[in-house]
Amino acid sequence: QVQLVESGGGLVKAGDSLRLSCVASGRMFSRYTMGWFRQTPGNERQLKREFVATITSSGRITAYADSVKGRFTISRDNAKNMVYLQMNMLKPEDTAVYYCAGSALDYCSEYGCRGEYEYDYWGQGTQVTVTS
């Protein structure tokens, strides 16, 4: 079992930066593909979480949603059981609850995974609010 805990959310202005962190328990962290998802205010009732970024277990492969490409960077430190999401040039539409997620699926380790259903472990979320 893996437990994930996010931190680093907050209230910022458009154009500002934030770095989200996620710490994982357990010794298997370095084997998991990790991802960041977000749930926007409009998607709360549908319980839908939007893919943001993914990183393979080695950290060599990353992938991003088109909406954040060039602004967000996902990274990980396997020695510290940490995964990060550096968010630059934030926009009001980035306002959401951000979730860290971990996947043990073998095929995700090759290119990462974008599907919410492909992740086994989830954190509790951290709120990011961007004002205009």
Side-chain angles (χ1 to χ4, degrees):
Q1 188 73 12
V2 174
Q3 290 186 325
L4 303 173
V5 179
E6 304 95 335
S7 61
L11 174 65
V12 297
K13 296 181 179 179
D16 285 352
S17 298
L18 273 178
R19 188 174 84 152
L20 304 183
S21 299
C22 173
V23 60
S25 65
R27 294 179 290 177
M28 305 293 284
F29 174 77
S30 63
R31 298 186 181 184
Y32 294 123
T33 296
M34 299 300 295
W36 285 96
F37 288 75
R38 64 188 182 187
Q39 188 174 57
T40 58
N43 286 328
E44 288 162 341
R45 288 202 170 183
Q46 294 93 337
L47 300 179
K48 176 179 172 56
R49 287 179 280 209
E50 173 192 2
F51 167 75
V52 175
T54 183
I55 186 167
T56 55
S57 55
S58 66
R60 284 195 293 267
I61 304 294
T62 59
Y64 299 90
D66 288 344
S67 59
V68 306
K69 200 174 294 182
R71 299 188 297 122
F72 290 11
T73 303
I74 187 171
S75 62
R76 66 191 296 163
D77 184 338
N78 286 342
K80 296 181 179 179
N81 279 19
M82 296 290 295
V83 62
Y84 306 98
L85 186 68
Q86 178 66 44
M87 304 186 296
N88 298 329
M89 297 181 288
L90 282 161
K91 303 175 182 180
E93 50 264 44
D94 295 319
T95 294
V97 178
Y98 283 74
Y99 296 90
C100 171
S103 173
L105 293 175
D106 287 339
Y107 68 81
C108 288
S109 65
E110 189 169 356
Y111 297 111
C113 276
R114 296 171 177 255
E116 189 179 352
Y117 65 95
E118 293 171 304
Y119 287 82
D120 310 288
Y121 307 106
W122 294 86
Q124 84 289 348
T126 185
Q127 176 71 47
V128 172
T129 302
V130 184
T131 60
S132 57

